[in-house]
Amino acid sequence: MLLTMAALLLNAVEAAGQTRPRANRIGMVNPMSPDHTSYIEFYEFEQVEVQPAFPGGERGLVNFVNSTREYPYNEYMSRRQGRVLCSFIILADGQVTHVKVLRSSGCEALDNEAVRVIKKMPRWEAGKIWDTKVNVRCILPIAFRL
């Protein structure tokens, strides 16, 4: 009886066009698995019903980046500027993980500083699909301008 009701509910939701989006997977090293790899599933920022939120909202995120970012000394003296496009995953518990540079500024020191800033972020409010907290990948550009 319960299984039949669940199947009817699932069919009704699918008929209404409200299917759950498919999650992406990213590989990571897991020494406990036989092949030493495992996967973490995540959704793209646009796929979730409730997007992850930085404490203080967008203004809080901008303030955090501006107050945490430190211009590398050699790049400052050389007058180098650039923009680093980074991706990271907000886990279901709000933790920031899997920080990666998608598009380099052309300067390794600026790229490393952008990654450092993102890794220092506090926990976010997790993204949700159907009132379930899920892992969500976000993309953030960090600019270095003089």
Side-chain angles (χ1 to χ4, degrees):
M1 174 74 176
L2 186 59
L3 183 61
T4 307
M5 291 188 69
L8 288 174
L9 180 61
L10 183 60
N11 288 340
V13 167
E14 288 177 353
Q18 297 177 348
T19 59
R20 188 175 190 155
R22 172 167 269 157
N24 298 311
R25 295 182 349 164
I26 187 169
M28 59 187 199
V29 176
N30 180 356
M32 298 304 288
S33 70
D35 62 352
H36 300 292
T37 60
S38 64
Y39 295 92
I40 182 172
E41 289 191 344
F42 66 90
Y43 294 88
E44 296 296 339
F45 189 81
E46 298 83 19
Q47 290 179 315
V48 295
E49 293 171 358
V50 178
Q51 280 87 15
F54 187 84
E58 287 184 34
R59 174 58 46 199
L61 177 60
V62 170
N63 290 339
F64 174 83
V65 169
N66 289 337
S67 64
T68 307
R69 178 184 52 209
E70 297 174 3
Y71 221 106
Y73 179 76
N74 291 336
E75 280 56 39
Y76 179 79
M77 297 308 288
S78 301
R79 311 284 296 163
R80 289 193 186 135
Q81 301 184 75
R83 188 173 134 209
V84 184
L85 190 64
C86 296
S87 75
F88 53 96
I89 296 177
I90 305 298
L91 297 178
D93 66 357
Q95 182 180 349
V96 177
T97 184
H98 291 83
V99 181
K100 189 167 97 174
V101 173
L102 294 179
R103 186 177 306 142
S104 173
S105 65
C107 178
E108 188 176 349
L110 297 180
D111 297 347
N112 291 339
E113 177 60 14
V115 169
R116 184 192 70 81
V117 168
I118 292 174
K119 286 184 175 181
K120 281 190 87 170
M121 286 182 180
R123 288 183 185 265
W124 290 46
E125 182 66 33
K128 294 181 182 179
I129 294 180
W130 293 356
D131 292 329
T132 303
K133 292 182 178 182
V134 294
N135 304 328
V136 180
R137 182 171 73 161
C138 300
I139 297 175
L140 178 70
I142 296 183
F144 293 89
R145 287 187 223 119
L146 297 172

